[in-house]
Amino acid sequence: MPGLRYRAIGAAFELLWASQLPVLVRRLSRARGVIFTLHRVLPDDAADFSPNAILQVKPDFLEFTITRIRKLGLDIVDIDEAIRRVETDEPAKPFAVLTFDDAYRDNLRYALPVLRRQQCPFTLYVPTALVDGIGEVWWQALEDIVAGQNALAVTWNGETEYLPSASLAEKQAAYTALYRRMRVMPEHDRVTLIRDLAGQYGFDLARQCRDLIMDWSDLRTFAADQLCTIGAHTVHHYELAKLETGEARSEIEQSLRIIKAQFGKQPEHLSYPLGGPSSAGPREFALARELGLRSAVTTRPGGLYAHHRHSLHALPRISLNGLFQSRRYVDVFATPALFSLMAK
């Protein structure tokens, strides 16, 4: 059950759609385009306890989104063309870019057929350690561990805390508490904690990573499609802002080298893991620029405007959130000026 925040967002979407305000805003807006964030594409309904359901949309919603965006008058373009339209002084048609983070295996099975059928260009941002099968999809692992237990014992700084997780409400509360704690602790402490929890409750992190994320063979199939642009998503999917400068730089630089070794071409585009203000800021934007990347995307909401030609390494995106898969909401998602206003 979505929390209060998501219920409020849903109510706002309903109000915006009913008011037809997005039509007027699109007509008057100076937004040049929008970059959409996606993660997973799955045909099944999410389970009752699925805190990560926000990361998954159904194939038919993806297909409707593509057709509706085009009907609203936006071109769907690749990231290179998007940058060109941001930078140009010439009139250009409004555009949308579809981007997928993390290289989930379901993208190959369920998203790629839709994208091919629609001849829709897209960008896939790749975390190399996860593709190697040696990283942790920790946010999903945490969900799966909580889902399988009636109670959890978690040790923080030498003290053990017991979290009930038998009922749906208890599972949601336990996941929220653990997730929030993990988001504020240093990255290497978080890695230790998720590994400790996995060991304690018999959860195979490596197997889950291999099951969820494409391997290099899968990725070569994916990348061979002319519609696909491969971008970098660091090595271990760490929040870069939590790392020392040298390690943060290495996370980006090594991912570029690994992808070049696999595909013969170095990526020109980056997605910051998690991508919010606490995950990537001015230092990270400077690192991406210094490493010669053409662009880098955050998860800060908003549209793309002419002024973004001066901040190509801090581009906003709008998440196609799995909790808001109503077709009437696509008109709201396709109005980036609304999200730019909300972000101020």
Side-chain angles (χ1 to χ4, degrees):
M1 190 68 134
L4 193 60
R5 175 171 174 262
Y6 288 114
R7 287 197 291 271
I9 293 172
F13 271 44
E14 286 288 348
L15 182 61
L16 287 167
W17 175 80
S19 72
Q20 294 297 296
L21 182 62
V23 177
L24 177 62
V25 172
R26 282 194 303 275
R27 189 177 301 144
L28 298 177
S29 172
R30 293 184 180 180
R32 297 195 170 191
V34 56
I35 304 175
F36 289 116
T37 310
L38 297 106
H39 291 83
R40 308 194 66 184
V41 178
L42 293 165
D44 302 323
D45 291 333
D48 288 340
F49 174 65
S50 309
N52 289 298
I54 60 174
L55 300 180
Q56 66 187 62
V57 299
K58 292 185 176 182
D60 59 348
F61 180 74
L62 174 61
E63 189 143 29
F64 176 81
T65 298
I66 293 168
T67 57
R68 181 60 181 167
I69 287 170
R70 285 172 169 160
K71 189 173 182 180
L72 291 171
L74 282 73
D75 287 340
I76 300 182
V77 302
D78 62 29
I79 189 69
D80 291 298
E81 175 61 14
I83 300 305
R84 189 194 71 78
R85 293 194 191 188
V86 167
E87 291 184 318
T88 186
D89 291 322
E90 300 297 322
K93 192 174 177 183
F95 64 85
V97 182
L98 296 188
T99 66
F100 294 80
D101 285 6
D102 301 339
Y104 284 101
R105 193 178 295 276
D106 51 66
N107 289 180
L108 181 62
R109 182 173 182 183
Y110 297 111
L112 189 57
V114 172
L115 297 163
R116 283 174 169 168
R117 187 162 53 247
Q118 292 291 334
Q119 283 298 288
C120 178
F122 60 94
T123 299
L124 180 72
Y125 293 111
V126 176
T128 57
L130 272 62
V131 178
D132 283 328
I134 58 172
E136 295 96 14
V137 190
W138 68 267
W139 53 97
Q140 187 62 50
L142 180 61
E143 176 183 316
D144 294 345
I145 291 168
V146 173
Q149 302 300 320
N150 288 329
L152 297 106
V154 185
T155 301
W156 315 96
N157 299 321
E159 296 186 6
T160 300
E161 179 179 350
Y162 294 92
L163 300 173
S165 56
S167 69
L168 177 58
E170 287 173 341
K171 289 184 186 302
Q172 290 169 338
Y175 180 89
T176 298
L178 288 166
Y179 181 83
R180 287 178 177 171
R181 187 78 66 96
M182 288 175 149
R183 285 296 308 278
V184 298
M185 64 173 47
E187 282 295 82
H188 297 294
D189 290 348
R190 181 195 54 70
V191 170
T192 298
L193 177 58
I194 194 66
R195 290 177 180 176
D196 287 349
L197 281 171
Q200 185 175 342
Y201 294 104
F203 188 85
D204 191 333
L205 288 168
R207 179 178 178 179
Q208 183 201 46
C209 184
R210 292 192 298 272
D211 288 345
L212 287 180
I213 305 298
M214 286 186 263
D215 59 24
W216 291 109
S217 177
D218 295 327
L219 264 180
R220 275 187 277 277
T221 299
F222 211 76
D225 198 294
Q226 292 184 347
L227 296 166
C228 180
T229 299
I230 292 291
H233 201 32
T234 74
V235 176
H236 294 97
H237 200 278
Y238 293 158
E239 293 184 72
L240 296 177
K242 293 183 180 180
L243 305 178
E244 296 294 332
T245 300
E247 187 177 5
R249 182 186 182 92
S250 179
E251 276 287 315
I252 301 172
E253 190 170 25
Q254 290 300 319
S255 70
L256 300 178
R257 291 177 178 174
I258 292 166
I259 293 171
K260 182 179 180 180
Q262 289 287 342
F263 295 106
K265 181 181 178 182
Q266 184 162 300
E268 296 182 327
H269 307 283
L270 171 74
S271 169
Y272 303 106
L274 280 77
S278 65
S279 305
R283 186 195 68 172
E284 289 67 47
F285 306 155
L287 287 173
R289 184 171 57 252
E290 290 165 10
L291 288 168
L293 286 152
R294 184 83 178 90
S295 78
V297 294
T298 70
T299 54
R300 303 180 190 202
L304 300 182
Y305 295 81
H307 68 79
H308 282 108
R309 70 181 71 185
H310 305 299
S311 55
L312 293 176
H313 300 91
L315 296 177
R317 289 190 291 176
I318 294 174
S319 174
L320 287 178
N321 190 305
L323 298 182
F324 305 108
Q325 292 187 70
S326 172
R327 293 187 170 193
R328 59 184 178 271
Y329 293 167
V330 175
D331 287 31
V332 180
F333 283 123
T335 312
L338 293 172
F339 294 84
S340 297
L341 288 170
M342 288 188 286
K344 290 182 177 179

